């Protein structure tokens, strides 16, 4: 019998700490439902004390998720633990995840606490968390740079206080696989009550080794991996869920454990998270990148045609890549459209929603002869990326560029229902469109990132544009898609402005100003 490897997804907590990846309550509920379909064991839905909005989001996730444990992060102080405990109260299975930093640099410079006070806070708050749930996890932040003797003491005390999961984070992505595996062996041997807890690994990707380090910990006996969809997360990100799951599954000859994940839901989860957060997936990303199963060289193509396993160690369909079939055309009717949505797992809430979606499909079919599955997904992704209160909407756009002329754009937008127009010239038609929008919105935002991906192939393919804006230290990502790249760009810019308009004050649990003051 293989042991179970617990998959702890922190896309909605650590992933949300990526610049501009803030998620609304509805976003979190949508992602949580997909994570449940993916059969992850634990969903860390947020950090309840960070804002009333995040508290509500965790409560909403706890109310809808039935098959996965719903978890909230908490710093080792009474207020955080109480908020986390209250947020998960409605869950079928709820967990409180208490953490405190244990490395000399964090204890001295950030917490300004002596090691004994850190140990005391850990024990006190783990006990407090047990008042809300039996399922309490304890993490020693920056374990990678902590003194091993101190780690052994604090982990032993946390287990004694009631922690069932002990998480060892490489907070700064500093370790290497051999050392990380050896640390687990040492901890699990030296902590006297180690057998009463599940050992967990949480790795960051600053040196590109988050997945390798996590797998080394698993080899050494860790039975929970903390990871995120698409490897999203603080700075360079966390260990990527899809890579961990597929590595353990594909190399079942070397791993003595298995996950319960339904891998066929991986690509859908990846696309949803990318759309909601505005973080595109790089084409050469393992498992979920557009090229992950594409064979370019003639020799490889020939090999795969003769015998697939010559160059493929996984099957695309096993992780949820469909063949991106030609789906519908201009003449397809409403019932074919509805059936296709059902087949793709796209939820349609009501007849009105179906009618609106059908109208958008027809508009796309007028511009694009062949509609593929991915086109339909993009049509609905656009909707998923739209905040509930939409301040600005694109009404129309004219863009003109000609050799030797400065490109021009004229835009009409709806500004809280009132139509306004502007024109501008720029370094290209996209720049001209952005300048025209800015002349209307006067947001004063700075453009940090602009990227375009094609959704399907061919010159009439839809382009998916990501725009990252910043203002007064806040960062937001906007997305838009269309067969016309300038239109997709304008949609993405307006989407980012709409997100900027949604008020959000959150405390980053690890760097926030409050984090420095509170234990
Ligand atoms: O990286 C880290 O140390 C964390 C902890 C809060 C678990 O995210
Ligand atoms: Zn982390």
């Amino acid at each position: 019998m293989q042991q179970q490897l617990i998959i702890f997804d922190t896309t909605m907590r650590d992933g949300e700490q990526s610049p501009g990846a803030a998620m609304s309550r509805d976003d979190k509920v949508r992602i949580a439902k997909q994570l449940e379909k993916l059969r992850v064991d634990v969903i860390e839905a947020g950090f309840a004390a960070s804002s009333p909005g995040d508290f509500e989001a965790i409560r909403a996730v706890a109310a809808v998720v039935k098959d996965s444990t719903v978890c909230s992060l908490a710093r080792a102080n009474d207020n955080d633990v109480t908020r986390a405990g209250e947020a998960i109260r409605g869950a079928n299975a709820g967990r409180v995840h208490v953490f405190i930093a244990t490395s000399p640099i964090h204890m001295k410079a950030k917490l300004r606490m002596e090691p004994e006070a850190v140990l005391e806070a850990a024990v006190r708050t783990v006990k407090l968390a047990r008042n809300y749930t039996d399922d309490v996890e304890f993490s020693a932040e920056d374990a990678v740079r902590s003194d091993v003797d101190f780690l052994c003491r604090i982990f032993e005390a946390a287990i004694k206080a009631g922690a069932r999961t002990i998480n060892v984070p490489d907070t700064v992505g500093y370790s290497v696989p051999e050392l990380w595996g050896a640390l687990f062996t040492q901890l699990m041997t030296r902590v006297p009550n180690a057998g009463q807890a599940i050992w967990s690994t949480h790795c960051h990707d600053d040196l590109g080794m988050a997945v390798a380090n996590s797998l080394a910990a698993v080899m050494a006996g860790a039975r929970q991996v903390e990871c995120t969809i698409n490897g999203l997360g603080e700075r360079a990100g966390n260990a990527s869920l899809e890579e961990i799951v597929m590595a353990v599954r594909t190399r079942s000859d070397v791993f003595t454990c298995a996950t319960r994940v339904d891998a066929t839901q991986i690509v859908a989860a990846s696309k949803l998270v990318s759309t909601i957060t505005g973080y595109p997936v790089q084409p050469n990303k393992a498992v979920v990148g557009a090229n992950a199963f594409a064979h370019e060289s003639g020799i490889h193509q020939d090999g795969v045609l003769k015998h697939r396993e010559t160059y493929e160690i996984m099957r695309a369909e096993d992780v949820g890549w469909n063949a991106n079939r030609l789906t519908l055309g201009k003449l397809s009717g409403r019932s074919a459209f509805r059936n296709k949505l059902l087949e793709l797992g796209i939820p349609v809430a009501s007849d009105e929603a179906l009618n609106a979606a059908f109208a958008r499909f027809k508009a796309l079919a007028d511009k694009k002869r062949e509609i593929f599955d991915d086109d339909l997904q993009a049509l609905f992704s656009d909707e998923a990326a739209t905040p509930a209160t939409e301040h600005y909407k694109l009404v129309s756009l004219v863009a003109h560029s000609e050799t030797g002329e400065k490109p021009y754009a004229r835009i009409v937008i709806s500004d809280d229902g009132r139509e306004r127009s502007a024109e501008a010239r720029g370094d290209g038609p996209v720049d001209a469109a952005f300048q025209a929008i800015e002349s209307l919105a006067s947001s004063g935002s700075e453009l940090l990132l602009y990227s375009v991906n094609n959704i399907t192939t061919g010159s009439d393919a839809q382009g998916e544009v990501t725009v990252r804006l910043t203002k007064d230290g806040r960062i937001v990502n906007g997305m838009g898609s269309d067969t016309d790249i300038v239109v997709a760009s304008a949609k993405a810019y307006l989407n980012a402005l709409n997100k900027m308009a949604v008020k959000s004050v959150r405390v980053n649990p690890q760097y926030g100003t409050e984090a420095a003051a509170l234990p």
Side-chain angles (χ1 to χ4, degrees):
M1 246 299 258
Q2 271 185 321
Q3 283 183 359
Q4 190 194 341
L5 178 63
I6 295 168
I7 296 296
F8 177 113
D9 178 277
T10 182
T11 307
M12 297 196 284
R13 198 279 299 167
D14 216 322
E16 195 184 28
Q17 290 173 219
S18 311
M23 300 163 203
S24 68
R25 188 191 61 178
D26 291 352
D27 293 340
K28 288 199 169 186
V29 167
R30 243 185 119 181
I31 292 177
K33 285 183 176 163
Q34 180 57 33
L35 291 174
E36 192 180 25
K37 264 189 172 170
L38 186 61
R39 288 167 55 82
V40 307
D41 301 287
V42 186
I43 298 174
E44 189 165 51
F47 166 40
S50 69
S51 70
D54 213 34
F55 177 85
E56 285 307 327
I58 298 166
R59 264 169 46 129
V61 169
V64 297
V65 166
K66 297 288 167 249
D67 291 337
S68 310
T69 297
V70 177
C71 170
S72 169
L73 183 68
R75 289 167 295 189
N77 68 64
D78 297 1
N79 176 59
D80 272 31
V81 171
T82 307
R83 292 294 279 168
E86 283 167 359
I88 55 128
R89 215 194 275 280
N92 238 6
R95 175 180 295 190
V96 174
H97 175 190
V98 178
F99 83 99
I100 192 161
T102 50
S103 64
I105 182 171
H106 275 236
M107 290 192 287
K108 201 163 174 216
K110 185 178 87 170
L111 299 175
R112 301 200 177 100
M113 287 169 76
E114 292 300 320
E116 291 317 308
V118 167
L119 195 143
E120 184 277 322
V123 169
R124 192 188 74 249
T125 51
V126 166
K127 283 186 181 157
L128 178 62
R130 282 295 300 255
N131 293 337
Y132 296 92
T133 171
D134 289 345
D135 190 353
V136 174
E137 169 170 337
F138 173 72
S139 283
E141 189 191 13
D142 204 21
V144 68
R145 292 185 295 175
S146 302
D147 174 67
V148 181
D149 292 342
F150 184 57
L151 279 183
C152 288
R153 279 185 60 216
I154 202 166
F155 287 151
E156 180 186 355
I159 296 169
K160 218 182 257 168
R164 285 189 170 172
T165 302
I166 292 294
N167 183 40
V168 189
D170 179 0
T171 304
V172 288
Y174 181 66
S175 203
V176 295
E178 267 198 332
L179 295 184
W180 199 239
L183 176 64
F184 273 79
T185 306
Q186 203 185 151
L187 291 171
M188 291 172 71
T189 317
R190 283 185 53 192
V191 172
N193 50 4
Q196 293 169 32
I198 288 170
W199 288 77
S200 166
T201 179
H202 175 115
C203 295
H204 281 267
D205 210 29
D206 299 67
L207 293 172
M209 287 184 277
V211 169
N213 288 336
S214 303
L215 294 175
V218 173
M219 293 264 199
R223 285 296 171 264
Q224 174 176 288
V225 176
E226 302 199 353
C227 45
T228 57
I229 303 289
N230 300 337
L232 197 68
E234 192 72 67
R235 302 182 310 280
N238 288 61
S240 127
L241 180 147
E242 54 279 4
E243 293 176 25
I244 299 280
V245 166
M246 291 316 290
V248 169
R249 180 168 153 165
T250 308
R251 296 309 307 267
S252 56
D253 55 330
V254 291
F255 292 100
T256 54
C257 50
T259 75
R260 316 178 305 131
V261 164
D262 174 0
T264 62
Q265 294 295 329
I266 284 179
V267 168
S270 162
K271 288 189 174 176
L272 184 65
V273 168
S274 167
T275 300
I276 285 177
T277 59
Y279 272 79
V281 177
Q282 78 202 50
N284 58 332
K285 166 85 175 63
V287 185
V288 291
N291 294 350
F293 294 90
H295 299 277
E296 190 65 25
S297 100
I299 297 174
H300 287 211
Q301 286 172 350
D302 181 53
V304 169
L305 285 175
K306 285 182 176 142
H307 193 310
R308 187 174 182 156
E309 282 163 29
T310 49
Y311 288 102
E312 280 189 8
I313 56 164
M314 296 172 273
R315 295 186 319 167
E317 55 270 37
D318 288 351
V319 295
W321 284 107
N322 54 36
N324 191 24
R325 279 153 305 152
L326 179 62
T327 296
L328 300 165
K330 203 174 162 159
L331 301 177
S332 306
R334 195 183 311 263
S335 74
F337 178 69
R338 183 206 288 272
N339 288 342
K340 192 69 210 177
L341 297 186
L342 284 177
E343 190 190 314
L344 292 175
I346 298 174
V348 182
S350 61
D351 273 357
E352 292 81 65
L354 179 70
N355 290 345
F358 189 63
R360 290 197 296 140
F361 155 70
K362 283 287 180 185
L364 179 64
D366 274 341
K367 291 193 247 171
K368 193 170 185 295
R369 216 163 25 93
E370 297 168 324
I371 308 284
F372 293 88
D373 290 349
D374 283 355
D375 287 315
L376 286 183
Q377 298 277 17
L379 209 63
F380 284 84
S381 295
D382 245 10
E383 201 176 46
T386 306
T389 45
E390 219 187 350
H391 201 69
Y392 300 116
K393 261 193 199 135
L394 178 69
V395 177
S396 65
L397 172 67
V398 176
H400 182 77
S401 58
E402 192 179 330
T403 326
E405 289 285 318
K406 200 154 166 100
Y408 161 89
R410 180 172 188 281
I411 194 153
V412 182
I413 62 169
S414 151
D415 177 350
D416 264 343
R418 191 164 58 95
E419 282 200 5
R420 297 172 63 206
S421 68
E423 49 185 30
R425 290 195 179 269
D427 288 335
V430 170
D431 184 44
F434 287 180
Q435 292 202 32
I437 294 173
E438 264 307 311
S439 74
L440 292 171
S442 308
S443 80
S445 307
E446 186 194 336
L447 181 67
L448 289 184
L449 175 138
Y450 170 81
S451 81
V452 187
N453 278 314
N454 56 325
I455 290 168
T456 52
T457 50
S459 56
D460 70 344
Q462 289 196 86
E464 190 168 54
V465 173
T466 306
V467 161
R468 183 172 303 158
L469 298 180
T470 182
K471 191 180 175 212
D472 298 335
R474 228 181 123 204
I475 298 177
V476 292
N477 295 321
M479 285 187 106
S481 56
D482 200 277
T483 48
D484 181 327
I485 294 299
V486 188
V487 172
S489 305
K491 282 184 181 173
Y493 199 98
L494 291 170
N495 179 239
L497 290 183
N498 284 328
K499 286 189 177 172
M500 195 69 97
V502 178
K503 284 206 172 36
S504 150
V505 182
R506 276 203 193 155
V507 177
N508 179 319
Q510 290 167 278
Y511 311 143
T513 44
E514 284 183 47
L518 292 164

